[in-house]
Amino acid sequence: QVQLVESGGGLVQAGGSLRLSCAASGRTVSLYAMGWFRQAPGKEREFVAAIGWSGDSTGYADSVKGRFTISRDNAKNTVYLQMNSLKPEDTAVYYCAAARTYYNSNVPQTPIEYGYWGQGTQVTVSS
């Protein structure tokens, strides 16, 4: 079993930055792809970013490309999401997820591919 705990959410003005963290426990996630998803009220959960085992492979939603950066520290069993130039439409609950994959280059982008989820952290961007 993998337990995931997100932190770093909060209230920020448009144009500001936040850094989310996701700490994994229970087992090492060095052979898991890690992803970030978000869900706004009344909307479906949507993909934000994902990263492969070593961090060399990443994927981003078009809406966050150039503004968000996903990274991981396998020694700390932690994945990060650096969010810059935040917009009000980025307001959502952000979830961390882990997917057991068999290729370093595999960066899943759909929720069903992920077997483990955190509880989420709220990000609110004011205009």
Side-chain angles (χ1 to χ4, degrees):
Q1 291 289 335
V2 176
Q3 291 81 43
L4 303 172
V5 178
E6 303 95 336
S7 61
L11 174 64
V12 64
Q13 288 188 330
S17 298
L18 282 175
R19 188 194 195 203
L20 305 184
S21 298
C22 172
S25 62
R27 62 175 60 183
T28 178
V29 292
S30 58
L31 294 181
Y32 286 71
M34 302 297 293
W36 287 96
F37 290 77
R38 66 187 182 187
Q39 189 166 18
K43 295 188 176 181
E44 293 187 352
R45 192 167 297 190
E46 65 173 1
F47 169 74
V48 175
I51 189 167
W53 301 345
S54 66
D56 293 337
S57 297
T58 57
Y60 294 93
D62 288 343
S63 59
V64 307
K65 278 181 182 176
R67 300 188 298 124
F68 291 11
T69 302
I70 189 171
S71 61
R72 67 189 296 164
D73 184 339
N74 286 337
K76 295 182 178 180
N77 236 21
T78 300
V79 64
Y80 306 96
L81 185 68
Q82 178 66 43
M83 306 186 295
N84 298 328
S85 303
L86 283 161
K87 305 175 181 179
E89 51 263 44
D90 293 319
T91 295
V93 176
Y94 282 70
Y95 296 92
C96 174
R100 181 66 174 94
T101 55
Y102 296 94
Y103 299 96
N104 183 28
S105 59
N106 193 354
V107 284
Q109 300 190 9
T110 60
I112 198 170
E113 296 177 273
Y114 288 82
Y116 301 97
W117 293 85
Q119 293 300 306
T121 185
Q122 176 71 46
V123 171
T124 302
V125 184
S126 64
S127 56

